[in-house]
Amino acid sequence: MTTTTAPPAGAQTGTPHAPGPRKRGNRSPGEGRMAAMLLSPTLLVLALVIVYPLLSAVHQSLFRAESGLDADGFVSDVESFVGLANYADLFVGESGRRFLNAFANTTFFTVTTVFLETVLGLCLALAMNRAFRGRSFLRASILVPWAVPTAVSGLLWRWIFQSDGIANNILGSEILWTAEGNASKLAVIIAEVWKTAPFIGLLVLAGMQVIPGEVYEAARIDGAGWWRQLGSITLPLVKPTLLVAVLFRMLDALRMFDLPFVLIGPGKESVETLSMLAWDESNQLRYGSASAFAVMLFLYVAVVAIVFVKVLGADVTGAKELKLLSKTTARKNRIAANQTTADADQLTSDQANSAQKKDEATR
């Protein structure tokens, strides 16, 4: 009589385990060297065009050109180390008044233009996303303002806003758009919104294109109207794309220089921005104060970027999406591994029961 010994329950005989997710830190030395070699050209270019100019500007902002006598008794301009004196002058005297005025103009133009561009860009995206005859022509025409170079756009609007230009002919007035005052600010805002609103519209349109049509179909079946779909489906799903678009436009608007420079001209206090102020100081050979203005503008831009990324959650690099994808993949691998283990346990249990039944039948 042959006695069959059943394997213990829970033993996994000959059943392979599903491999677990590979941890990010488990990289071979060859992969690390390859990654460093592939990234080295990009890091070198970034160091040359970003790190070095930034460090040079910070170093230059600590010096100031002063007139003095050289060893031979002649008057000469020398660079003297003044520490943080250039930064202290940004808040006192004539230099401080110009800096605060330029800072206020930069902030005003940024907030106003980006808000109007966001609203108009969202409307353009909604219009381009609808299916109708002539949609391709609409999309191509919307691209035209964004494709026009900024200097050319400034010259175009300068011709429109001349004293005898199209704008005054339509309004029937004699507004001095390119002089000092609120009219010049309004001219800059109109020209900037006309040029860059298509940028936000195109990015938002790209975000709308990936929304499944079944979601809107289900909402229509449930009785949701157009406004309800906009507030509950479209805007929440395009929010990440919209935040990135607004961030890019804010960083660009904070560095506004060429459009007001060409449209209104330099030296106009009503439209002078931080970039224009830094250019004017360097044009007057005051490189120390110009570097201080540039460093303050860099810090301003950096603070705005950090607030958008950390506080508002703008996913610029796609790291959040990649992290979510990694978590989803790891969860699927764990579920598959657990399912494989459960199937193996069930198979072993069935084999044990079958062997036990055979043993009882033999007896």
Side-chain angles (χ1 to χ4, degrees):
M1 182 175 59
T2 305
T3 304
T4 304
T5 304
Q12 302 176 14
T13 58
T15 304
H17 288 277
R22 184 179 181 183
K23 295 183 179 180
R24 185 176 299 178
N26 297 336
R27 296 192 180 97
S28 64
E31 291 179 343
R33 286 192 297 268
M34 178 61 69
M37 183 179 65
L38 295 176
L39 290 175
S40 57
T42 302
L43 296 178
L44 179 60
V45 172
L46 291 177
L48 291 177
V49 302
I50 296 180
V51 178
Y52 174 74
L54 177 60
L55 296 179
S56 178
V58 173
H59 177 266
Q60 186 67 39
S61 66
L62 304 178
F63 292 83
R64 179 183 297 170
E66 296 179 350
S67 299
L69 299 177
D70 57 11
D72 299 327
F74 294 98
V75 177
S76 62
D77 292 333
V78 295
E79 292 284 339
S80 302
F81 179 78
V82 294
L84 300 178
N86 288 325
Y87 295 96
D89 292 342
L90 299 181
F91 304 97
V92 295
E94 178 65 19
S95 178
R97 187 190 66 82
R98 292 189 63 189
F99 170 74
L100 295 179
N101 175 72
F103 184 86
N105 289 338
T106 302
T107 305
F108 173 75
F109 285 139
T110 300
V111 174
T112 306
T113 58
V114 172
F115 173 76
L116 294 176
E117 290 163 10
T118 303
V119 175
L120 183 57
L122 183 59
C123 295
L124 292 175
L126 292 173
M128 291 185 292
N129 193 43
R130 298 179 65 88
F132 60 91
R133 181 175 297 179
R135 183 175 63 173
S136 300
F137 175 77
L138 176 63
R139 292 182 177 181
S141 61
I142 288 176
L143 277 174
V144 173
W146 176 248
V148 174
T150 307
V152 177
S153 175
L155 291 175
L156 172 64
W157 283 99
R158 184 179 181 88
W159 174 68
I160 294 175
F161 287 127
Q162 286 179 349
S163 59
D164 57 346
I166 300 175
N168 284 338
N169 290 334
I170 295 176
L171 297 176
S173 60
E174 292 291 337
I175 301 177
L176 300 178
W177 297 95
T178 58
E180 289 281 5
N182 294 327
S184 60
K185 291 184 177 181
L186 181 59
V188 172
I189 291 173
I190 293 174
E192 180 73 7
V193 171
W194 174 83
K195 168 148 181 44
T196 54
F199 172 77
I200 294 183
L202 291 174
L203 289 184
V204 175
L205 176 62
M208 291 181 178
Q209 293 293 311
V210 299
I211 301 177
E214 294 81 3
V215 179
Y216 292 104
E217 185 65 26
R220 284 191 293 267
I221 293 175
D222 292 339
W226 186 84
W227 287 105
R228 183 65 180 275
Q229 295 177 28
L230 178 64
S232 301
I233 299 176
T234 305
L235 292 181
L237 293 180
V238 301
K239 178 183 176 182
T241 305
L242 184 60
L243 284 178
V244 173
V246 171
L247 174 60
F248 286 168
R249 275 302 307 136
M250 288 195 70
L251 299 184
D252 194 25
L254 289 173
R255 299 178 286 106
M256 184 185 298
F257 173 82
D258 40 4
L259 183 62
F261 186 89
V262 176
L263 176 58
I264 308 299
K268 304 293 182 63
E269 291 188 0
S270 57
V271 297
E272 189 174 47
T273 61
L274 290 175
S275 297
M276 298 175 66
L277 182 57
W279 173 87
D280 185 66
E281 287 293 303
S282 63
N283 198 39
Q284 301 297 327
L285 303 182
R286 294 190 288 265
Y287 299 113
S289 58
S291 299
F293 288 133
V295 172
M296 293 299 293
L297 177 58
F298 168 77
L299 295 178
Y300 190 16
V301 173
V303 169
V304 171
I306 292 174
V307 168
F308 255 80
V309 174
K310 297 296 184 181
V311 178
L312 298 181
D315 189 11
V316 180
T317 62
K320 292 183 178 179
E321 184 177 355
L322 182 60
K323 186 176 180 181
L324 179 61
L325 180 62
S326 300
K327 289 183 177 180
T328 303
T329 304
R331 183 166 59 250
K332 290 181 178 178
N333 290 336
R334 286 196 300 268
I335 294 174
N338 295 334
Q339 184 64 33
T340 303
T341 303
D343 293 342
D345 292 342
Q346 182 65 32
L347 179 61
T348 304
S349 178
D350 293 341
Q351 291 176 350
N353 293 334
S354 177
Q356 186 176 2
K357 289 180 180 178
K358 289 182 179 180
D359 185 43
E360 292 176 354
T362 305
R363 291 178 181 179

